[in-house]
Amino acid sequence: MKKYTLLLVLLFQLANAAEKDSLNTVNPFTKYHSFLEEEDFCDACGCSASGGSMGFASMLNSNFVGIRYFNQQYKSMDGLYSNSPWYKENFNTVQVWGRIPVSAKVQVSALLPYHFHERETATGNKSINGIGDITVLAMYRLYQTHKDSTFLVHTLQLGGGIKAPTGKFNEANSGSINPSFQVGTGSWDYLFATEYVVKRKQFGLNSMLNYVIKTENQKSYRFGNQLNYAGTFFYLYENNSFSIVPQLGFAGEVYESNYQYNQKLRNTNGDILFGKVGFEVGKDRLSFGANAMLPINQNLTGGNVEANYRWSVNFNYSL
């Protein structure tokens, strides 16, 4: 518990240390949008870390704290036959999140989720809830175009981070059709991320690729490593009173098999591709965002789990 408390204190101190000299403008978002988007640090089926490809940062402001809610809908087959019943699964997460610039080229993002999940079973509905796993990520700007007259503006960032096992892992749920019916993985996981943004005036494309290395928890269970990718087309409109960024793109997740007692578990790997649409609008220091995702193609846990949709809303305050 002491190490988790120390981590939270460190994040609070970073927030208080952030520079605020540029905030006395009519619209702070005209200075702070950096288009770091779509870091996906979720485990299989998006239920034990940060919520699938819903994103890890704001499109409008790079220096913020806020709160976000997102919902994910699944269904799972209970049985081995084609006529076996399907049951609904409803995953809900509320996150406190933020991103703090600690130097000219380094930014630190952090989130603390609270999960409350429900699913149908043959014996009735079941639910779990609790604090999830804290995620901290640092991104370093490796390259950025400096000349305003350049036809295309490029930005390349690299980074890494950790996910701490602050959420509870329930070993009984790991043997179910959807083993990610958890509020935490119970393991320390390591994140490696890269992001590339290219812009032409108000239009741009944000692309990202990251990889999550999972470790074994105290129950001898290990979720499979995960590769995530995304591409988002955006348009930035801004004036002295507000800014808005509509977005359209795709996001995908590829995850390896889970292990228990060093034995590979069948039908725990898979992949999914989503189409997504959303927007973010900011006025003064406040912003509101929303997005929705629908699966285009998927193969989850050998076809025993199907994703229906994901959606989220967030409210942020620019520091």
Side-chain angles (χ1 to χ4, degrees), residues 141-272:
R141 189 173 71 243
L142 187 65
Y143 173 79
Q144 185 173 42
T145 306
H146 296 290
K147 295 181 179 180
D148 295 336
S149 59
T150 303
F151 183 78
L152 293 175
V153 177
H154 307 270
T155 303
L156 176 63
Q157 298 193 82
L158 302 175
I162 60 172
K163 182 179 70 63
T166 50
K168 181 181 179 180
F169 174 81
N170 188 334
E171 187 176 11
N173 289 336
S174 66
S176 64
I177 296 298
N178 188 346
S180 291
F181 189 73
Q182 306 281 350
V183 297
T185 63
S187 63
W188 288 90
D189 301 335
Y190 304 96
L191 324 171
F192 301 92
T194 180
E195 184 220 28
Y196 172 69
V197 180
V198 57
K199 295 188 292 181
R200 170 59 179 168
K201 296 184 178 179
Q202 283 77 31
F203 291 92
L205 170 65
N206 177 298
S207 59
M208 77 88 189
L209 183 70
N210 65 63
Y211 191 70
V212 186
I213 297 176
K214 316 289 179 64
T215 66
E216 187 176 84
N217 62 28
Q218 293 182 347
K219 302 294 185 179
S220 298
Y221 195 95
R222 179 172 71 84
F223 286 92
N225 296 343
Q226 185 168 343
L227 173 71
N228 309 290
Y229 60 92
T232 304
F233 294 94
F234 60 85
Y235 175 80
L236 171 65
Y237 173 81
E238 57 185 353
N239 57 34
N240 288 332
S241 58
F242 74 96
S243 301
I244 185 169
V245 183
Q247 307 157 34
L248 181 66
F250 64 90
E253 305 166 2
V254 181
Y255 52 95
E256 301 171 11
S257 296
N258 299 347
Y259 283 77
Q260 190 167 29
Y261 300 108
N262 294 320
Q263 298 296 315
K264 182 187 291 186
L265 301 177
R266 295 177 61 250
N267 294 329
T268 54
N269 62 330
D271 60 85
I272 187 168

Side-chain angles (χ1 to χ4, degrees), residues 62-79:
S62 62
N63 186 0
F64 73 96
V65 294
I67 188 169
R68 175 170 66 167
Y69 165 80
F70 58 87
N71 174 268
Q72 304 174 72
Q73 296 288 329
Y74 296 89
K75 61 179 182 179
S76 59
M77 178 186 291
D78 186 11

